[in-house]
Amino acid sequence: MAREQYLTAAEGIHIERPENQHVYKIGIYGWRKRCLYLFVLLLLIILVVNLALTIWILKVMWFSPTGMGHLRVTEDGLHLEGESEFLFPLYAKEIRSRVDSSLLLQSTQNVTVNARNSEGEVTGRLTVGPKMVEVQSQQFEINSKEDKPLFTVDEKEVVVGTGRLRVTGPGGALFEHSVETPLVRTDPLQDLRLESPTRSLSMDAPRGVHIEARAGQVEALSQMDIVLQSSDGTLVLDAETVCLPRLVQGTRDPPGSSQGLYEICVCPDGKLYLAVAGTGTTCREHSRICL
């Protein structure tokens, strides 16, 4: 009855209905929706795991606003406490230890410190190996606390800036070339010996050479000649006794003579010999020794 009333009331109205009606649904439904939720859940799980790992790494490595663990970043550079191991080369402008501790560099093979120029070329190298310490540089210098040069080495010379150079080895010091020094002295109660086994030994000074033995004797030994020469001065033998025990004897003391006195004769070439002293000189009588 209701249907009949509706049709009766709508008889004067003409309504056109489409032949085909299509219904469009807006949104994600079905298995796509479930996959999307699963993907979002997986992303949340990965995010939580990454956050947990990041917090764990920060805690294990001791990260802080000032650095990481014993490594701290300061205005002057990096401050590192404790022992550190470097697997690759370390490049730094300055390396220093704390005031109350020493700096230790240790390696199983060797420790090498290089200095490079702006082009990357090595200008200086210090290598500490198991058998030797090697330094490659144009000049090697050791200074004191007051920045005074104590030891300097370059291609031309070696300079010792201390007041004394002491050699304590039993073999002494061996120099293949010349040595320039104002004084050569040994310790008290020790002998000073200067020798050249296969070559000559020369001592030169513009103002003189002074040899002194305060509590002993001065001895000069030579297989060949010993020459004492003064170009403009005088050779002075200042002693209470002057002994020439091996001078050639020109004549023998006649039998029965008890004087035992001799005179020293000089040949034109400077050779000395002994002659028996008499009331007058006897050198001319025995001058055949000079021939």
Side-chain angles (χ1 to χ4, degrees), residues 185-250:
R185 184 175 61 185
T186 184
D187 291 337
L189 304 179
Q190 298 291 334
D191 296 335
L192 175 62
R193 185 174 181 180
L194 303 176
E195 67 175 354
S196 178
T198 58
R199 300 298 178 90
S200 60
L201 177 62
S202 176
M203 291 186 293
D204 302 327
R207 295 186 178 180
V209 177
H210 181 69
I211 302 175
E212 180 182 2
R214 297 181 179 180
Q217 62 182 2
V218 177
E219 183 178 358
L221 302 177
S222 175
Q223 184 177 358
M224 302 299 291
D225 299 334
I226 297 178
V227 180
L228 301 177
Q229 181 181 358
S230 177
S231 58
D232 297 332
T234 304
L235 181 62
V236 180
L237 300 178
D238 186 5
E240 295 181 357
T241 305
V242 178
C243 299
L244 302 173
R246 296 188 180 182
L247 282 180
V248 180
Q249 185 173 347

Side-chain angles (χ1 to χ4, degrees), residues 7 12 28 54 65 79 84 98 117 149 189 191 235 237 242 285:
L7 294 174
I28 301 176
T54 303
H79 182 78
S84 301
R98 296 173 52 182
N117 55 14
L189 304 179
D191 296 335
L235 181 62
L237 300 178
V242 178
E285 300 176 0

Side-chain angles (χ1 to χ4, degrees), residues 44-241:
L44 290 177
I45 294 174
I46 295 176
L47 180 62
V48 172
V49 171
N50 288 336
L51 182 61
L53 289 176
T54 303
I55 297 175
W56 179 76
I57 292 175
L58 292 176
K59 184 177 180 180
V60 171
M61 300 300 294
W62 296 354
F63 278 100
S64 64
T66 59
M68 179 183 65
H70 296 293
L71 181 63
R72 293 184 300 172
V73 181
T74 61
E75 296 180 355
D76 299 331
L78 298 179
H79 182 78
L80 181 62
E81 297 181 357
E83 298 182 0
S84 301
E85 182 178 355
F86 299 94
L87 303 180
F88 297 97
L90 174 64
Y91 299 91
K93 181 179 179 181
E94 181 181 359
I95 300 176
R96 61 183 178 181
S97 65
R98 296 173 52 182
V99 180
D100 56 348
S101 62
S102 59
L103 177 62
L104 176 62
L105 301 178
Q106 186 175 358
S107 174
T108 57
Q109 298 296 329
N110 55 51
V111 177
T112 303
V113 180
N114 294 332
R116 300 178 182 271
N117 55 14
S118 58
E119 298 178 356
E121 300 177 353
V122 178
T123 57
R125 175 175 297 173
L126 172 63
T127 303
V128 180
K131 295 184 180 180
M132 68 175 181
V133 177
E134 182 179 359
V135 178
Q136 296 180 2
S137 179
Q138 296 181 356
Q139 183 175 355
F140 177 74
E141 184 174 350
I142 300 177
N143 297 331
S144 63
K145 295 181 179 179
E146 293 78 13
D147 201 17
K148 178 182 178 181
L150 301 179
F151 185 77
T152 305
V153 180
D154 55 17
E155 296 181 356
K156 296 181 179 180
E157 61 181 1
V158 177
V159 179
V160 179
T162 59
R164 178 183 300 178
L165 174 62
R166 184 175 182 181
V167 180
T168 59
L174 176 62
F175 301 96
E176 296 182 358
H177 301 283
S178 61
V179 178
E180 182 178 351
T181 177
L183 176 64
V184 179
R185 184 175 61 185
T186 184
D187 291 337
L189 304 179
Q190 298 291 334
D191 296 335
L192 175 62
R193 185 174 181 180
L194 303 176
E195 67 175 354
S196 178
T198 58
R199 300 298 178 90
S200 60
L201 177 62
S202 176
M203 291 186 293
D204 302 327
R207 295 186 178 180
V209 177
H210 181 69
I211 302 175
E212 180 182 2
R214 297 181 179 180
Q217 62 182 2
V218 177
E219 183 178 358
L221 302 177
S222 175
Q223 184 177 358
M224 302 299 291
D225 299 334
I226 297 178
V227 180
L228 301 177
Q229 181 181 358
S230 177
S231 58
D232 297 332
T234 304
L235 181 62
V236 180
L237 300 178
D238 186 5
E240 295 181 357
T241 305

